[in-house]
Amino acid sequence: MAYPEEIKEIWETVKETFRNECSTTAFELWYASIKLSDFNAETNEIVFETDSQFKFNSLNKNHKQKIEERIAEVAGMDLSVSFRFVGRPVDPNELIQRVTGKLPSVSKADPPPPPAPVTPEIAARAKYTFDNFIEGESNRFARAVCMQVAANPYTVYNPLFLYGPSGVGKTHLMSAVINEIRRTKPETRVIYTKGDDFINYMVECLKNNNMAAFRDRYRNCDVLLIDDIQFIAGKEATQNETFHTFQALFDEGKQIILASDRPPKDINPLEERLRSRFEQGLLADINPPNLELREAILQQKAEEMGITIPAEVLTFLAENLRSNVRQIEGSIKKLAAKSFVDERKISLEMAKDCIGDLLGDEEPLSVTIDKIFAAVYKKLNVPKEDIIGTKRNKEIVHARHLSIYLIREITEMSFPNIGKQFNRDHSTTISSYTKIKEQLIRDPLFAADVESIKDEILGK
């Protein structure tokens, strides 16, 4: 690295300004992860490095000007910024060595095997990679184990069972495994199918008395991935053939990856022998994205589509669209289309107009907040107007603190926006939230009461 200490100090100060205004996930994704690499004193150019092609493209397209403007504010002079991509294609042997500690024995004289044929199902998933999968607390473990399986199938985790509600990224991760294996081991025979397609093809083969075709398709592969495996529940013939297919692949050391909306123990009715096969490898759960991860995903989707969304709109969407990534992606597409048709810039009013049908069965954030105020009133007999008002007696202050805590926990609304609900600044809402958390730790009876209030609000 060749840069003076002053440049390092400037960049550290600039990073802190971004840290204070971005979500943690967005800060880590775009600013904390790039490395200060070089400084050209003749051209006043600061050079940063990234090992992600996706980040390199996005930084140049969407963040370069913002970083230069912030550096100029801190440094008091104009300094240009450039980014250097330092990634490289990873040799498959190196990936295997990284996981197993040893290299495979392949004769240098042997010609490389021909690439395996690519099915339409696999070709359709070419855009989903580990690089453009936004990582957060809810999916970090699943992403890590999928990367290990992609680097070294057959020996790490077999079978790998991913589970979580619809739209949280299971199919993206399965596709990323496929694409990484195709990139590093193109000769690998990979089959991807959905649970209902798996069943339908079996029914067709049974009807035509041609189960040999079914077995040929699903047993003559190196990696088998089945999405939505829960659809085989209750189908006796399918479960029997699935068991023998899995057993044949497992005995031959082939990799199996499954995905479901629930863990194996909750797939019913399911034969116990299949359940035990599902559970004998590794189970990795993926939860719905939290607020910060939703903001990062929204930002990424907007950048991929080449549209600009104001920060207040991103926050509004992240706070209201709480179910899954597909819902988030749908909101970006709808906003982009409406902006194009109406020839208007995307605004908060436009987002509010668009969001109704995207919520589906999910209630708007405002309805949830009203439920919280109603539940607190029912429990503590303190009405909403007193909670958001200026009275400071002990009972009202406690109800206010509890309401702030419940809004944050249930809706994941940002502290500044919670503050707006109470006509208070974000530091006050953070203080209220912290006081309730501390009381929950000290007082088990109070913790039980709060859980019952949450259950009532959520309809449990």
Side-chain angles (χ1 to χ4, degrees), residues 369 372-373 375-377 380-408 415 418-419 421-425 428-437 439 446:
I369 293 172
I372 291 170
F373 283 125
V376 172
Y377 172 71
L380 303 179
N381 199 32
V382 179
K384 176 181 176 181
E385 53 267 28
D386 286 344
I387 293 174
I388 65 176
T390 58
K391 294 180 181 179
R392 297 288 303 166
N393 66 53
K394 184 177 178 181
E395 292 77 14
I396 292 176
V397 169
H398 177 67
R400 188 175 298 139
H401 292 338
L402 180 58
S403 299
I404 288 171
Y405 172 83
L406 290 169
I407 290 173
R408 175 66 178 179
F415 285 115
I418 294 175
Q421 300 287 327
F422 294 81
N423 300 310
R424 287 162 171 82
D425 61 35
T428 303
T429 61
I430 293 173
S431 175
S432 299
Y433 177 81
T434 303
K435 286 175 182 175
I436 295 296
K437 285 206 76 171
Q439 187 176 352
F446 176 66

Side-chain angles (χ1 to χ4, degrees), residues 196-267:
D196 51 354
D197 292 335
F198 184 79
I199 294 167
N200 291 338
Y201 187 62
M202 179 182 294
V203 170
E204 180 185 333
C205 290
L206 283 168
K207 186 167 60 176
N208 296 329
N209 196 26
N210 189 18
M211 284 304 294
F214 177 87
R215 290 162 189 152
D216 182 64
R217 173 180 292 190
Y218 292 113
R219 297 188 191 184
N220 290 327
C221 65
D222 300 307
V223 181
L224 175 63
L225 304 98
I226 302 182
D227 211 346
D228 292 322
I229 190 67
Q230 72 272 6
F231 286 131
I232 70 170
K235 297 174 175 61
E236 188 174 331
T238 302
Q239 289 190 41
N240 182 63
E241 191 60 41
T242 301
F243 173 81
H244 290 296
T245 296
F246 285 8
Q247 194 62 46
L249 292 171
F250 190 81
D251 289 345
E252 294 178 17
K254 308 301 185 182
Q255 179 70 51
I256 301 167
I257 303 175
L258 309 171
S260 171
D261 63 357
R262 69 204 78 163
K265 65 182 180 63
D266 294 337
I267 301 176

Side-chain angles (χ1 to χ4, degrees), residues 311-321 348 351-352 355 365 417:
E312 63 174 355
V313 176
L314 285 174
T315 300
F316 171 78
L317 293 173
E319 289 179 343
N320 283 275
L321 300 173
L348 186 58
K352 289 178 179 178
I355 200 172
L365 194 59
N417 281 351

